Amino acid sequence: MISLEKNELSRLVDEGYSFMIQVPSRPKWYGLKTRSILEPRKFTIHEPTLAILDRIARESIDIILDEEALKNSGADTIQEAKAMALKHAKRCARILAIAVLGEGIYKQKILNNGGVSYREDRVRIERLATLFEHYIKPSKLVELFGAIIATMNLGDFIYSIRLIQTQRTAMPHRIEEGLED
């Protein structure tokens, strides 16, 4: 069972997670009338680079869910949930847009010294976030955030940090350790 789970996670990280939503297409002419129709559009969430991992973390760090307020609100639980939706819906759409765009959120510029400068394309992020805000439902959002967390591969990231921490060769050792006054 664990090997199946590892294989599925590995496939998800390697191939990404694809999903489709219905989005409006350009108006089509039918006789004398124009009609907007919805067409399926495919998006894929791939394993993020470290820059995208950092950007998703920066965006999601401000999402604070007050469990106590939800539990203790009694009859006002719905009102509290609506307030949280109002506060975090756009941010959730933005996180999803960043995960889908990946490195595409950055505009690259080659510098004179041969270096590369990266500038965030906020217009592109906001355009896709607005699309998601209007066409992603909460039931789909749960599924997509699960895919984002899985493709972020945080387990390997934490393992890498642990590996670096234990492999520090220049870490000072105190000679006085263990000696008592």
Side-chain angles (χ1 to χ4, degrees):
M1 189 66 168
I2 291 179
S3 65
L4 289 174
E5 200 172 318
K6 284 182 182 179
N7 288 341
E8 181 64 22
L9 182 60
S10 178
R11 187 190 63 76
L12 186 63
V13 167
D14 292 341
E15 297 174 15
Y17 180 84
S18 296
F19 65 98
M20 303 207 34
I21 60 172
Q22 298 288 327
V23 297
S25 67
R26 295 190 181 267
K28 305 248 190 268
W29 287 94
Y30 294 99
L32 298 173
K33 294 183 180 180
T34 60
R35 255 182 20 198
S36 292
I37 57 171
L38 295 177
E39 291 182 348
R41 186 162 166 205
K42 183 178 180 181
F43 298 95
T44 305
I45 300 168
H46 290 286
E47 181 178 17
T49 61
L50 295 176
I52 300 304
L53 189 67
D54 177 61
R55 184 64 182 86
I56 290 172
R58 277 189 288 139
E59 192 68 43
S60 60
I61 200 122
D62 291 331
I63 295 180
I64 298 168
L65 183 65
D66 189 359
E67 293 286 347
E68 288 300 316
L70 280 174
K71 286 179 187 175
N72 298 333
S73 57
D76 292 332
T77 302
I78 299 294
Q79 286 301 103
E80 189 66 33
K82 287 178 184 178
M84 287 185 188
L86 176 68
K87 190 174 179 182
H88 299 304
K90 182 68 173 177
R91 187 175 306 270
C92 289
R94 199 174 305 120
I95 291 168
L96 183 57
I98 292 166
V100 166
L101 290 171
E103 280 295 313
I105 71 168
Y106 295 111
K107 290 182 180 179
Q108 297 179 1
K109 181 180 177 185
I110 306 297
L111 303 174
N112 292 337
N113 64 4
V116 180
S117 170
Y118 295 94
R119 189 172 50 86
E120 193 172 276
D121 188 353
R122 294 184 184 184
V123 172
R124 190 169 183 205
I125 294 169
E126 289 304 316
R127 192 177 310 140
L128 188 57
T130 300
L131 180 80
F132 288 154
E133 190 176 11
H134 289 281
Y135 292 98
I136 298 288
K137 297 177 181 166
S139 56
K140 187 73 171 173
L141 186 66
V142 169
E143 175 187 329
L144 295 174
F145 270 29
I148 290 171
I149 297 299
T151 57
M152 284 172 72
N153 207 359
L154 291 172
D156 284 350
F157 181 73
I158 297 299
Y159 181 73
S160 299
I161 292 172
R162 285 182 177 147
L163 190 62
I164 289 295
Q165 185 180 14
T166 60
Q167 297 299 322
R168 294 190 314 191
T169 57
M171 187 167 68
H173 296 284
R174 294 194 58 183
I175 297 173
E176 297 87 25
E177 279 184 27
L179 297 177
E180 302 212 5
D181 291 334

